Amino acid sequence: MEYGNCTHLLKVTGRYFLEGIEESIKNLPKGKDFYVQRHYDANIKWQNSEYFGIRKELLPELTSTVLRNIQFMELSLWDLSRNHSFTIFKKGFRNEMPRGGDGLVINPL
């Protein structure tokens, strides 16, 4: 895949709109492999995946890990991000949209 001159890709679940994401990205530390949201559960090694940033070279590793292990992306995202450099989006994003499955509204997202 070609991504031009970009270094990272931002994945956002289609139902969400992250108002102010551009400014948030500008304020994050540079050079990290992953930029993950602040919602996670260390007890079960689960990193929420409503949105995250990933160094473009690591995307094939993430997707192949999910497919190879036949596991939730959130488990693979936890493992991979914790084995590379990462930082957390400290400021959440206003959200009133329920997520799929359980219908929970995470606000801020």
Side-chain angles (χ1 to χ4, degrees):
M1 293 182 162
E2 288 294 323
Y3 303 105
N5 294 328
C6 75
T7 60
H8 290 74
L9 302 171
L10 179 65
K11 178 267 187 196
V12 181
T13 298
R15 73 182 73 226
Y16 300 114
F17 176 75
L18 304 179
E19 187 171 344
I21 186 69
E22 297 90 349
E23 194 61 34
S24 290
I25 289 172
K26 288 178 187 175
N27 293 323
L28 290 170
K30 306 294 183 240
K32 301 292 183 179
D33 294 324
F34 286 89
Y35 297 90
V36 296
Q37 68 186 92
R38 62 193 202 153
H39 300 287
Y40 63 89
D41 187 334
N43 294 321
I44 60 171
K45 298 182 177 181
W46 182 275
Q47 176 62 60
N48 280 39
S49 65
E50 285 84 7
Y51 62 92
F52 63 88
I54 182 172
R55 183 174 301 282
K56 68 181 180 181
E57 293 83 9
L58 292 173
L59 184 60
E61 186 176 351
L62 176 61
T63 55
S64 66
T65 301
V66 170
L67 295 173
R68 182 178 57 249
N69 297 331
I70 311 173
Q71 67 182 17
F72 290 109
M73 176 166 7
E74 291 81 0
L75 296 171
S76 294
L77 183 58
W78 172 274
D79 289 340
L80 200 55
S81 65
R82 273 32 180 212
N83 287 316
H84 288 80
S85 63
F86 76 97
T87 194
I88 296 172
F89 280 91
K90 301 223 183 322
K91 178 182 173 259
F93 298 93
R94 190 172 151 273
N95 175 56
E96 296 174 8
M97 182 64 64
R99 68 183 180 188
D102 63 9
L104 179 68
V105 174
I106 302 173
N107 188 27
L109 186 62

